[in-house]
Amino acid sequence: MAFVRFNPMTSGRARRRAVAALAVLGGALVLAVVVVDAAPGPRRTADRSPADLPWPAPATPEMSPSAEPTLPAAPPPADLPVVDYGPAPRGFPRDPAPMSTVRLGEGLRPIRRIAAYDAPGGRPRAFLTPTISGVPVTMPIVTRRAGWTAVLLPSANRTIGWVPAGSWSTAQLRDLVVVARRTHRLHWYRDDRLVRSWPVSVGASATPTPLGRTFILGRSTLPGRVYADTEVFALGAVPEEPDSVPSGLRGAHIGLHAWYDAAQLGRNNSNGCIRIARKAQELLLAEVPPGTELLVLDRFAAPVRLSGAGPVPVAAR
């Protein structure tokens, strides 16, 4: 059973909406997802301390050309599975640099159904669609090679899929969210400059928050006092050991959400989700769009400035 709820906080701002039912490891079986504009521009908020920082014009990085000839794509069978909110199909390669702190600054948006392959010119493994349960999908681009583009896959941990040129567009991604499990801190970067940091709780030892790169898949409604009556971010990541979570949460994704009791933050006490204070969550909801990379590390020094996204690297053979 699903239910849908529009967020009154954003109803006057969004130019378009998509609604779907997605589950998050928060305590509800099915949650209503409300996705507002897929790539909102920065908005000024009273709770952002660096509001006086300049907002640079978006810069399009120059892509390093590959010396390799473009490899052809084998026609995909019509009966390939589709990557959806359930566990992703097997056979895809691992993320080549899952712990990299270099921001993934560009995202891929399918325009229509496209096939994802296990390598450039390799075997088609599944279809990617413009939406998952009605939610528009933007997947961070990891690398390029031989005319192909690799993206982080949703509904899988530290896994990529390769797509040939075709029916997709790109979008700039300006933000990076880094979660340090040892220090229980979340750090938000925009254009590689540190904006804010907050204390968070992460997964307990039996249900750890997965390490590595993932991304914000969409927004979901978690009603109730325990979640501070705020929306949550559903991430592309899933539990490392699905059988370790309560049976009522099987099939749910890792989430980033507010928590009613700030005194409980700074601990390993969740089912894998990342818990944060209400005001911090509200700010992130207002500023950070779907497709944004979220990186979970054990340790992170949190420099004021990162090295920068730079060109999307061209993978070596």
Side-chain angles (χ1 to χ4, degrees), residues 94 97 147 152 202 216 246 263 265 298 311:
R94 308 301 291 170
L152 288 180
V202 294
I216 294 173
L265 301 179
D298 265 333

Side-chain angles (χ1 to χ4, degrees), residues 28-100:
L29 299 185
V30 180
L31 309 175
V33 169
V34 181
V35 175
V36 295
D37 188 89
R43 294 183 287 271
R44 300 182 68 90
T45 64
D47 194 38
R48 183 171 63 246
S49 61
D52 56 340
L53 293 179
W55 298 94
T60 303
E62 295 182 1
M63 302 304 172
S64 301
S66 171
E68 296 179 275
T70 298
L71 295 174
D79 60 351
L80 281 181
V82 176
V83 176
D84 55 21
Y85 206 67
R90 297 181 180 273
F92 286 103
R94 308 301 291 170
D95 183 351
M99 308 302 175
S100 173

Side-chain angles (χ1 to χ4, degrees), residues 90-186:
R90 297 181 180 273
F92 286 103
R94 308 301 291 170
D95 183 351
M99 308 302 175
S100 173
T101 58
V102 176
R103 174 171 54 90
L104 300 178
E106 190 176 12
L108 182 147
R109 295 173 175 167
I111 296 172
R112 57 180 60 90
R113 190 175 73 166
I114 58 176
Y117 295 69
D118 57 12
R123 176 181 173 183
R125 295 282 183 175
F127 285 118
L128 300 172
T129 55
T131 64
I132 290 180
S133 298
V135 177
V137 176
T138 300
M139 295 164 286
I141 294 175
V142 173
T143 188
R144 289 186 171 90
R145 177 185 164 195
W148 292 65
T149 301
V151 297
L152 288 180
L153 287 179
S155 306
N157 296 341
R158 302 174 298 277
T159 303
I160 63 171
W162 289 89
V163 297
S167 300
W168 47 267
S169 62
T170 59
Q172 186 184 31
L173 303 175
R174 300 177 58 198
D175 299 281
L176 170 63
V177 177
V178 183
V179 175
R181 298 197 308 187
R182 294 288 182 89
T183 56
H184 301 96
R185 299 287 296 183
L186 180 146

